[in-house]
Amino acid sequence: MIAHDISTAVSHLGRLIEDAQTIVPFTGAGISTECGIPDFRSPGGVWAKNQPIPFDEFLARREMRDESWRRRFAMEEKFGAAKPGRGHRALASLYRVGKVPALITQNIDNLHQASGVPSQDVVELHGNTTYALCLECEKRFDLAWVRDKFESAGQHAPECACGGFIKTATVSFGQSMPVQAMARAEDLARRCDLFLAVGSSLVVWPAAGFPLMAKRNGAALVIINREPTEFDDIADLVIRNDIGDTLGPFITH
Ligand SMILES: [Zn+2]
């Protein structure tokens, strides 16, 4: 059913949360828009103007690696200043009381961790843009270090001491999905009794398969998203109100 107003939505959601033993939140760009992080996929969004750089081009061409870092640093003002929103804080509250074993996100902005959920319990399907990794030896790099090297080399991407390319810890187009994260997300979706899809249009596969998986295993499915999704028909509750307004009442700290 679709909640027809915010107070109905909040009270219905409150009952479902109270009844649930194991809640698995699955979040997308919509939860971070109130934090100033743009939705890359939205019409007029970053990707509408700048086609994302596919992984094979990143590997093949130095100019693409330089360009990829140039774009990343251009976004730093937004990513660097972003603080968790009401949605993040509400989900962190549910984590803290033990109802949420871990949460699954399509976001790369690190805001669930910033809201207090330990990083080992944030399952990132598309990686994380707030740090970088060597593609060969997996050594971790701070963005500040990369930026320093990048600028001092005349805007050229630095490489690892092992000779590997350094890239943000995100999953690019054409790069394989992280196997461990996918397996953990599947497991979480299968064993929850309430699946909360928050701020995702649920169209990006394979990630979009999780709500279906949860539903098939008997979980209640709640979809909180501004726009309709193709899973609204099978959801137990659909909330099209603002995410911060909807989840705000569930913040307990
Ligand atoms: Zn390396």
Side-chain angles (χ1 to χ4, degrees), residues 40-246:
F40 296 97
R41 289 184 175 82
S42 69
V46 176
W47 287 352
K49 284 172 238 153
N50 271 327
Q51 287 289 312
I53 296 168
F55 189 55
D56 57 351
E57 285 190 36
F58 181 93
L59 293 180
R61 298 172 54 201
R62 181 178 181 177
E63 310 88 85
M64 287 294 127
R65 295 192 287 280
D66 295 348
E67 173 61 14
S68 146
W69 279 110
R70 200 170 297 122
R71 289 183 191 179
R72 177 59 188 84
F73 296 137
M75 295 291 300
E76 185 53 18
E77 245 172 84
K78 285 193 170 115
F79 278 113
K83 299 270 183 295
R86 289 170 292 170
H88 299 99
R89 292 171 55 210
L91 297 179
S93 296
L94 295 176
Y95 176 87
R96 206 158 303 197
V97 297
K99 287 225 172 199
V100 169
L103 40 84
I104 310 168
T105 187
Q106 296 175 288
N107 298 338
I108 57 174
D109 54 30
N110 206 54
L111 290 177
H112 288 300
Q113 291 92 326
S115 74
V117 180
S119 55
Q120 71 267 20
D121 288 331
V122 181
V123 180
E124 295 174 315
L125 299 176
H126 298 164
N128 189 310
T129 194
T130 65
Y131 63 96
L133 292 174
C134 167
L135 292 174
E136 293 297 328
C137 72
E138 297 186 350
K139 182 177 155 119
R140 184 174 166 142
F141 295 89
D142 288 338
L143 292 198
W145 181 90
V146 178
R147 190 170 198 167
D148 204 47
K149 297 283 177 196
F150 180 83
E151 297 299 347
S152 60
Q155 300 215 323
H156 286 302
E159 286 169 13
C160 180
C162 82
F165 300 143
I166 298 170
K167 183 179 165 296
T168 55
T170 48
V171 179
S172 295
F173 282 90
Q175 195 170 4
S176 52
M177 295 293 288
V179 177
Q180 272 185 324
M182 287 294 288
R184 182 138 180 243
E186 261 187 58
D187 178 59
L188 286 163
R190 289 214 167 93
R191 66 188 174 92
C192 67
D193 54 10
L194 175 58
F195 192 90
L196 286 183
V198 183
S200 171
S201 53
L202 304 176
V203 290
V204 184
W205 289 84
F210 297 120
L212 202 57
M213 228 175 260
K215 186 69 191 163
R216 281 187 182 144
N217 280 272
L221 173 61
V222 175
I223 296 176
I224 309 173
N225 197 49
R226 275 284 192 199
E227 312 296 328
T229 78
E230 60 175 300
F231 296 108
D232 289 1
D233 288 346
I234 63 159
D236 298 85
L237 175 63
V238 176
I239 300 172
R240 292 191 185 142
N241 295 93
D242 180 78
I243 292 167
D245 292 347
T246 304

